[in-house]
Amino acid sequence: MGEEKIPALDRELTGRVALVTGASRGIGSAIAFTLAGQGATVLVNYNGSRQRALEVVAQIEAAGGTARAIGCDVSDFAACGRMVEEIIADYGHVDILVNNAGVTRDNLVARMSEEDYDCVLNTNLKGAFHTIRHLTRYFLRQKKGKIVNISSVSGVIGNAGQANYAASKAGLIGLTKSVAKELAGRNICVNAVAPGFIETEMTLGMPEKTREAAVASIPMGRMGSPREVGELVAFLAGDRSDYITGQVICVDGGLT
Ligand code: NAP
């Protein structure tokens, strides 16, 4: 038992390169801000919202951080490969991968189209596999890395009207736990964060009555902020969580 060093908590991600998928808005942009605030160079991935990704980069730079926008549809396996190669060519390494990109196509299962099922699975679940698949060999060589997958409480407890979404988010949990076991011996941590109801465009789209019912079901009596998810992701991306892997941590105001 050696003497424990007091960790430096400030800007603990200095020198690290982080790829955050779906960081053009909502929770993803909050994660990008939080990681950049800790000193990481952040690759702000977007698909449709290029302008908003550039605004996220501008805000990070204005605050003294380093970031770059990078376009890629995460549901496209080959495109994810090209994105990873471009980042490695420019920065030499990636230390943190946050799989945050996600979509919803809610409907009752009896009415759900195959297209809506596939779209959600391809982005939310397969997209995470794509980035992990392409980045893992670099993490293995480095013998270090942090992967954080953004799941959802829907994937933990299910949600009527979200069979596709809940399946994708539960799948992310299985992916997280399995990859964590594969990579643990190389010092690579893989964890999932399961947010509850968080104030973003995704939840703003909810009908008012559903929204009221959602808030009423939360023991803390309010929705969470994207920043509150970002703080947990920053912890899981840094050295203070080095002995935590294969876990699913809910950020849900007590919902589950
Ligand atoms: P949001 O505001 O709708 O933002 C979604 C983000 O995902 C956008 O940046 C979007 O980028 C990106 N994206 C979508 N499809 C993509 C694709 N094919 N390739 C790359 N990026 C893509 O959603 P949010 O509420 O911030 O949610 C972020 C994550 O948290 C999602 O995985 C979501 O399932 C999860 N989550 C959210 C809540 C909540 O209450 N809000 C709760 C639990 C879990 P573009 O606009 O550039 O296409």
Side-chain angles (χ1 to χ4, degrees):
M1 294 263 286
E3 207 172 287
E4 295 282 333
K5 273 189 187 163
I6 297 169
L9 299 184
D10 250 1
R11 296 182 67 80
E12 66 161 336
L13 301 179
T14 299
R16 314 274 165 92
V17 174
L19 168 61
V20 183
T21 69
S24 50
R25 53 201 167 90
I27 293 172
S29 60
I31 293 169
F33 293 139
T34 313
L35 297 181
Q38 288 293 328
T41 294
V42 181
L43 279 306
V44 176
N45 163 255
Y46 64 92
N47 185 29
S49 312
R50 180 168 184 271
Q51 196 49 44
R52 295 184 67 174
L54 292 174
E55 283 161 22
V56 171
V57 170
Q59 284 184 60
I60 289 173
E61 287 176 343
T66 313
R68 196 174 101 192
I70 187 157
C72 172
D73 175 353
V74 297
S75 69
D76 182 333
F77 182 79
C80 285
R82 289 192 294 274
M83 171 170 68
V84 166
E85 291 313 316
E86 189 184 326
I87 297 169
I88 295 291
D90 290 351
Y91 297 90
H93 59 108
V94 174
D95 309 283
I96 299 157
L97 166 64
V98 184
N99 283 307
N100 165 81
V103 292
T104 49
R105 296 278 188 282
D106 295 356
N107 212 336
L108 296 172
V109 73
R111 294 189 200 140
M112 189 173 287
S113 70
E114 184 185 10
E115 192 193 353
D116 282 349
Y117 188 87
D118 288 345
C119 167
V120 170
L121 268 288
N122 286 340
T123 302
N124 300 8
L125 180 56
K126 238 181 136 210
F129 162 69
H130 294 159
T131 53
I132 291 171
R133 172 68 180 77
H134 290 296
L135 265 173
T136 294
R137 64 192 176 109
Y138 297 103
F139 283 147
L140 287 171
R141 267 183 226 161
Q142 289 164 204
K143 295 192 177 65
K144 197 164 171 57
K146 298 278 185 171
I147 300 173
V148 183
N149 296 319
I150 306 301
S151 177
S152 165
V153 294
S154 292
V156 178
I157 58 173
N159 194 19
Q162 289 198 313
N164 50 359
Y165 183 78
S168 74
K169 295 299 185 178
L172 265 179
I173 292 172
L175 180 75
T176 300
K177 288 174 182 278
S178 303
V179 178
K181 285 187 172 171
E182 283 187 32
L183 304 182
R186 297 285 191 102
N187 204 26
I188 299 156
C189 298
V190 190
N191 291 291
V193 168
F197 293 101
I198 308 296
E199 298 267 12
T200 69
E201 287 166 36
M202 195 175 262
T203 43
L204 274 176
M206 286 163 74
E208 191 52 38
K209 276 204 167 158
T210 317
R211 197 181 154 84
E212 279 169 15
V215 172
S217 70
I218 304 168
M220 289 188 109
R222 66 169 177 90
M223 288 203 178
S225 72
R227 172 85 194 192
E228 287 169 320
V229 180
E231 291 296 344
L232 175 60
V233 174
F235 171 70
L236 292 172
D239 297 344
R240 286 175 288 163
S241 59
D242 273 355
Y243 201 52
I244 300 174
T245 197
Q247 300 305 304
V248 183
I249 305 176
C250 295
V251 187
D252 65 358
L255 184 64
T256 53

